[in-house]
């Protein structure tokens, strides 16, 4: 993971992909582009803008290549795309994405529902994507996200040993980063701390992002636990938009506005302007009229006289 020298952590905004693919309405391409522009203006430096999947499965992502090409006009921003397989990866690489993220579920039941492959087969798919990347776009980073790492609405409990072993296999396959995703919002802070510490001890610097959900109200607490365990990249979605269409009951990404407020109030620099970040809700609401948005910070506003604290981040 690459964190700018002027910040302590990297907030990776996933709303334009994870958020939009989870709502019934399809946002117009022009509205997606305006929303992405507003996120960049707020200081976001990594944005997951699209998912390269068949349009008949996720019509919300039918314009993925066009959206990637628009986002590439912004300098200093890592344009990321989700790809479930080799075909999607090739399309994303041809479009010019800077970074690919691949979902690899620790739950066999969720893996079959989400990508129609076993976790073991997905490790091989990651290996094939890495070979393709090396052949046509060697500068592109490939992240493997271990989904359902904290539990699965289809399978139930997911053994922690299975999660760590899968992460180890993905690192051995050559993934640049291996993160953990609380796809179903079943995680708790003690579990989050335990799993990420195990990950750091097993795969070291390849340990990637914490992708937490707020389904049961523990999103921020889990992010803080991940931070204290050593994680420095966090996925979140403006307005808490999103979830997983193939995991029943999995709603509620961590709200970017609340996450940024928490870290900045702690003196952990994000490089994001909170006022501009909250203003980025306007183009989102314009593009998805009537879609509910969440967040305690936008609702309450910033405290009187509030200012980010001086950097006090742990190394």
């Amino acid at each position: 993971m690459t964190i700018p020298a002027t910040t302590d952590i990297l907030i990776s905004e996933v709303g334009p992909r994870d958020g939009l693919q989870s709502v019934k309405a399809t946002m117009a391409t022009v509205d997606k582009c305006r929303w992405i522009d507003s996120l960049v203006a707020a200081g976001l430096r990594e944005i997951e803008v699209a998912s390269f999947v068949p349009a008949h499965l996720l019509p919300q992502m039918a314009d993925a290549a066009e959206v990637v090409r628009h986002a590439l006009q912004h300098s200093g921003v890592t344009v990321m795309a989700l790809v479930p397989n080799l075909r999607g990866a090739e399309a994303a690489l041809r479009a010019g994405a800077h970074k690919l993220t691949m979902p690899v579920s620790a739950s066999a039941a969720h893996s079959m529902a989400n990508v129609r492959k076993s976790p073991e087969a997905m490790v091989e798919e990651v290996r094939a994507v890495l070979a393709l990347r090396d052949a046509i776009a060697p500068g592109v980073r490939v992240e493997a996200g271990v989904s359902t790492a904290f539990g699965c609405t289809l399978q139930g409990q997911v053994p922690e040993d299975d999660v760590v072993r899968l992460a180890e296999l993905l690192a051995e396959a050559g993934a640049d980063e291996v993160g953990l995703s609380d796809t179903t919002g079943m995680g708790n802070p003690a579990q989050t701390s335990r799993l990420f510490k195990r990950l750091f001890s097993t795969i070291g610097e390849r340990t990637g992002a914490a992708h937490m959900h707020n389904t049961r109200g523990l999103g921020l607490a889990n992010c803080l636990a991940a931070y204290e365990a050593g994680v420095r990249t966090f996925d979140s979605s403006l307005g808490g938009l999103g979830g997983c269409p193939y995991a029943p009951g999995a709603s509620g990404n961590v709200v970017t506005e609340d996450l940024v407020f928490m870290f900045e109030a702690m003196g952990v620099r994000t490089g994001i302007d909170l006022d501009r970040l909250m203003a980025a809700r306007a183009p989102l609401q314009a593009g998805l009229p009537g879609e509910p948005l969440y967040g305690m910070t936008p609702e309450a506003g910033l405290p009187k006289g509030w200012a980010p604290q001086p950097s006090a981040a742990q190394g």
Side-chain angles (χ1 to χ4, degrees):
M1 54 187 167
T2 302
I3 300 175
T6 55
T7 62
D8 299 312
I9 61 172
L10 177 66
I11 303 294
S12 182
E13 172 63 43
V14 301
R17 192 283 301 178
D18 194 1
L20 294 184
Q21 77 170 32
S22 304
V23 299
K24 291 182 179 180
T26 298
M27 183 186 276
T29 305
V30 65
D31 290 318
K32 289 184 185 181
C33 294
R34 288 192 185 114
W35 182 26
I36 290 167
D37 293 346
S38 69
L39 292 169
V40 174
L44 272 305
R45 289 297 172 259
E46 182 171 285
I47 304 175
E48 190 180 38
V49 301
S51 177
F52 282 80
V53 297
H56 71 276
L57 294 177
L58 281 175
Q60 302 95 322
M61 296 289 116
D63 57 356
E66 186 177 351
V67 173
V68 166
R69 286 192 290 268
H70 174 83
L72 289 172
Q73 297 176 38
H74 294 287
S75 62
V77 177
T78 298
V79 178
M80 183 164 61
L82 181 138
V83 299
N85 51 36
L86 187 63
R87 184 176 179 180
E90 182 171 9
L93 292 171
R94 299 292 183 196
H98 298 138
K99 182 177 178 180
L100 307 183
T101 181
M102 296 188 69
V104 184
S105 184
S107 157
H110 178 263
S111 189
M112 294 305 297
N114 193 35
V115 293
R116 299 187 180 92
K117 289 184 176 71
S118 68
E120 295 77 15
M122 279 303 296
V123 173
E124 294 309 309
E125 196 77 14
V126 170
R127 200 183 301 274
V129 167
L130 288 163
L132 177 69
R133 182 274 312 269
D134 292 343
I136 68 174
V140 171
R141 293 182 67 80
V142 175
E143 171 194 53
V146 180
S147 52
T148 64
F150 299 85
C152 174
T153 52
L154 299 173
Q155 174 180 307
Q157 297 299 309
V158 176
E160 292 183 10
D161 287 348
D162 291 357
V163 175
V164 176
R165 179 55 184 157
L166 181 57
E168 189 174 25
L169 290 173
L170 290 165
E172 290 171 354
D176 297 299
E177 302 171 27
V178 182
L180 298 181
S181 299
D182 186 13
T183 314
T184 60
M186 296 169 69
N188 63 70
Q191 180 187 21
T192 300
S193 176
R194 197 165 54 240
L195 267 175
F196 272 109
K197 285 178 179 177
R198 289 189 63 181
L199 217 60
F200 276 111
S201 68
T202 304
I203 65 172
E205 64 182 13
R206 289 182 188 259
T207 301
H211 181 110
M212 315 309 293
H213 279 208
N214 199 42
T215 312
R216 292 169 177 82
L218 293 179
L220 288 181
N222 289 334
C223 285
L224 182 57
Y227 174 78
E228 291 176 341
V231 175
R232 293 297 178 267
T233 302
F234 300 86
D235 293 352
S236 60
S237 177
L238 196 82
L241 197 68
C244 177
Y246 298 104
S251 61
N253 280 301
V254 169
V255 177
T256 303
E257 302 93 305
D258 291 342
L259 185 66
V260 171
F261 176 76
M262 179 184 77
F263 278 128
E264 291 286 351
M266 291 169 57
V268 178
R269 300 172 299 174
T270 67
I272 296 170
D273 184 306
L274 261 170
D275 288 317
R276 290 186 175 185
L277 184 65
M278 289 191 285
R281 291 165 72 98
L284 170 56
Q285 290 174 314
L288 286 178
E291 186 68 33
L293 299 183
Y294 304 95
M296 305 300 288
T297 303
E299 182 177 333
L302 297 176
K304 185 176 181 180
W306 184 86
Q309 295 299 303
S311 179
Q314 301 171 12

